Amino acid sequence: MQINPDQLKQLIEASLFVMGKSVSIKSLKETVLVNFNVSRAKIKLAIEELQQDYQGRGIELMSVAGGYRFQSIESLSPFLQPLWQEKAPKYSRATLETLAVIAYRQPVTRGDIEFVRGVAVSSHTIKSLADRQWIRMVGHKEVPGRPALYATTTEFLAYFGLDTIADLPPLTDTESLAALFSDVNSLEKPQEEIGPENTQNIEESTNE
């Protein structure tokens, strides 16, 4: 079945609005476009045209977590907060530091995280990150005891607005790291950047 360029843009636009999350070109081809004879190149071109169409608007079409999604522009975020009646969950500094170690050193074991941070990592910390679907177990390290290996997920990428893990800011970029984790309401404002090289000898929070 054929579809003209305007219809293709309309269908992609509507699909991304309805889904409300990052959707890949592969997913589009296998769902809403499964009955149409359209190439990946044409889908990509339609998406790029949509991105141009939304420039200067209150929402933008972003490349996130290997796909595309509509989201409000960053400058409007403070004004949109009242729309959410429930407060976002708060995370301790220890939880955010654990997440940072996993993100930058993945795949890692719990022991690896403890070595970098210099303190024990509670099971609750790992569970809270897994429940949030920011990390997942990806295998076992081939050493005695075969400890679990953890890595970040596409949900992690989507939440922090990253297309791939390579888009994480350099560990030396203090401002970028602070901005990355500012999306999460931590229980205390860190006095240092949240990064593996600055997490030695920090006491585990009792409010994880």
Side-chain angles (χ1 to χ4, degrees):
M1 188 182 303
Q2 297 297 320
I3 184 171
N4 68 46
D6 288 338
Q7 291 172 329
L8 178 60
K9 281 177 61 177
Q10 290 174 349
L11 185 52
I12 292 174
E13 182 181 28
S15 300
L16 296 179
F17 266 116
V18 169
M19 292 299 292
K21 64 179 183 179
S22 181
V23 182
S24 67
I25 291 177
K26 181 177 182 291
S27 178
L28 288 170
K29 279 185 66 68
E30 294 175 350
T31 54
V32 295
L33 298 174
V34 68
N35 294 320
F36 296 100
N37 183 23
V38 58
S39 66
R40 289 179 59 91
K42 288 184 179 180
I43 297 172
K44 183 71 162 57
L45 178 60
I47 290 172
E48 290 173 350
E49 290 180 359
L50 281 170
Q51 288 176 317
Q52 290 292 323
D53 294 344
Y54 278 88
Q55 285 192 355
R57 305 276 294 275
I59 57 175
E60 58 189 347
L61 180 53
M62 296 292 294
S63 175
V64 175
Y68 300 88
R69 77 175 180 198
F70 283 106
Q71 61 186 46
S72 61
I73 59 175
E74 187 175 353
S75 62
L76 296 181
S77 181
F79 306 102
L80 298 175
Q81 291 301 318
L83 295 176
W84 283 269
Q85 295 182 354
E86 294 184 7
K87 291 184 177 180
K90 294 184 178 182
Y91 297 91
S92 69
R93 178 171 179 170
T95 298
L96 297 182
E97 288 173 351
T98 298
L99 178 62
V101 175
I102 295 172
Y104 282 93
R105 302 290 183 89
Q106 61 186 306
V108 293
T109 66
R110 184 170 165 179
D112 295 330
I113 300 168
E114 292 175 341
F115 177 79
V116 173
R117 293 195 60 239
V119 293
V121 176
S122 73
S123 298
H124 177 73
T125 298
I126 299 296
K127 184 178 185 301
S128 66
L129 291 172
D131 288 346
R132 192 65 172 78
Q133 296 186 324
W134 284 345
I135 67 169
R136 66 187 180 93
M137 190 177 72
V138 295
H140 296 272
K141 191 170 184 177
E142 294 304 323
V143 296
R146 301 185 73 247
L149 286 164
Y150 297 97
T152 54
T153 64
T154 55
E155 286 80 3
F156 166 83
L157 295 175
Y159 185 90
F160 289 100
L162 305 171
D163 193 22
T164 70
I165 203 67
D167 294 327
L168 280 168
L171 289 175
T172 55
D173 189 341
T174 306
E175 291 184 2
S176 294
L177 279 170
L180 177 71
F181 286 102
S182 68
D183 288 335
V184 181
N185 295 315
S186 57
L187 293 179
E188 61 181 76
K189 185 176 181 180
Q191 298 303 310
E192 307 171 3
E193 67 177 277
I194 300 174
E197 79 282 19
N198 284 332
T199 55
Q200 296 290 335
N201 301 319
I202 299 173
E203 293 184 2
E204 191 79 14
S205 169
T206 58
N207 293 315
E208 289 183 326

